[in-house]
Amino acid sequence: MVEGGVSKASKTEFTECWNIVWTTPYIMKLALSAGIGGLLFGYDTGVISGALLYIKEDFRDVEKKTWLQEFGRKISLLGADVLFFIGAIIMAIAPQPWVIILGRIFVGLGVGMASMTAPLYISEASPAKIRGALVSANGFLITGGQFLAYLINLAFTKAPGTWRWMLGVAGLPAVVQFGLMMMLPESPRWLYRQNKVDEARAILEKIYPADQVEEEVNLLKQSVENEKAEEGLIGKDMISRLKGAFGNKIVRRGLYAGVTVQVAQQFVGINTVMYYSPTIVQFAGFASKSTALALSLVTSGLNALGSIVSMAFVDKYGRRRLMIVSMFGLSSCLVALAVVFFQAAIHAPTVSQIESSHFGGNNTCPAYITDGNAKSWNCMDCLKAKCGFCAHKGNEYLPGACLIDEKSTDTLCSDEHRTYFISGCPSSFGWLAVVFLGAYIITYSPGMGTAPWIVNSEIYPLRYRGVGGGIAAVSNWTSNLIVSLTFLTLTEALGSAGTFLLFAGFSLLGLVAIYLLVPETKGLAFEEVEKMLETGFKPSAFMKKSNKSEMHA
């Protein structure tokens, strides 16, 4: 039912979802059309990672100033498409870095609107039996968008105006969704609130079997009437609704859970990994941009695969359990990544005075020349000095040259068939970094990747779902902004190892917070969730109850 609870089922929601959409393809049309908003989100996070590698070549200031690298129901979705398209065009024709930032502001507004509206539209237009799986499908489209972005990045690596094509093509999914959404109706719930009962019924007749439509209309009527009555008590304006939300014990406890999972989702560092995945691969010692993009394509593919796993198992094992297992695994992978990068820094090849002078004194890194301890320098010291490392011609692990970071020195180094490093150093540990990066993605995607959004669609009383979901989404995007704005700067200040260790610490804190504050909502009607929040949530007691219910399922 559109406004009822989440029904209990012995089969996974994924299997039931497949059976229902196979017999009622209209549901999938609604979900996929709205879900392109998720594709836009994913494409944006993926495409900028590859474009950054080439933007830094055309605009040298972006290489010198890390902060320049860190910027980033139907009508709402249409508005999001327009903003996204405008932003994509602005970025593609940008003559200066600040114009790219302006374009990303438009894209950011569009992505923000789509990420909040698409799951709401899908949720309101989906039968409750498969709501979780269809919301998870939106998550799959996000990861699919990231995978598509890396494919396009890789395709344009040799094309003139590389990054301009990468960013410009981002406008195409927005055009496609705009066209599809123009042919789709509003959600039945929104139409009923606008007293368009016949239109709402017509949509429900396309979603449900004929013998269920009348029941769904009555449930929708009751739900909307209850919500309007509640609005009469607390007011329709946002200030009144916010006061009512924070003054309500049930909603407050729901927000503790909803905001916790959204903040934790970002502070494990996932979007920085997706934004800067090729750069991280370069940190690991893979200097080639095409190689970095190809390896990043693998990680984004694993992310998409993890979303499918979530769709299959989120109703079998529960949201809470998947998140706890996911956070434990993320902490472990981040610690492992920190160790790998620490070892890579220690064992970085040294800088040779002979090799450096080989390219002429004018091309040698000034900081290397003036430092009295230059003999102890290695590749990492060279990069910290904002210079470039030209690896040894015969063996990258032997002493190399530390040169000023300019296009001319990059060319000089490449002309001698050497590899020029500016984001990482030659390392025999590089493959381990890629392995643990892949393990990190696999661990993240089925749990923390999709479960937080499902929890937030179930944890709030119906009358406060919009307010609660909005607050949680704002906390998610605020956390995303904080982490993304500071990642490259933190990498410079703490090193790659220190930055990943910091994220590991945040992950452990998130694990504890989820265990203490987040209940299991699997198989519970909204009324049951309300009752659980009203009486209080005891983690250990609920874990036992959850295990018993699984045994009897």
Side-chain angles (χ1 to χ4, degrees), residues 384 487-503:
K384 287 178 182 177
F487 176 71
L488 294 182
T489 306
L490 282 172
T491 301
E492 284 198 349
L494 304 177
S496 300
T499 303
F500 283 117
L501 201 59
L502 181 64
F503 284 141

Side-chain angles (χ1 to χ4, degrees), residues 41 139 152 225 236 353 425 511:
F41 181 11
I152 290 174
E225 287 176 352
K236 284 187 177 182
Q353 186 175 355
C425 294
L511 173 60

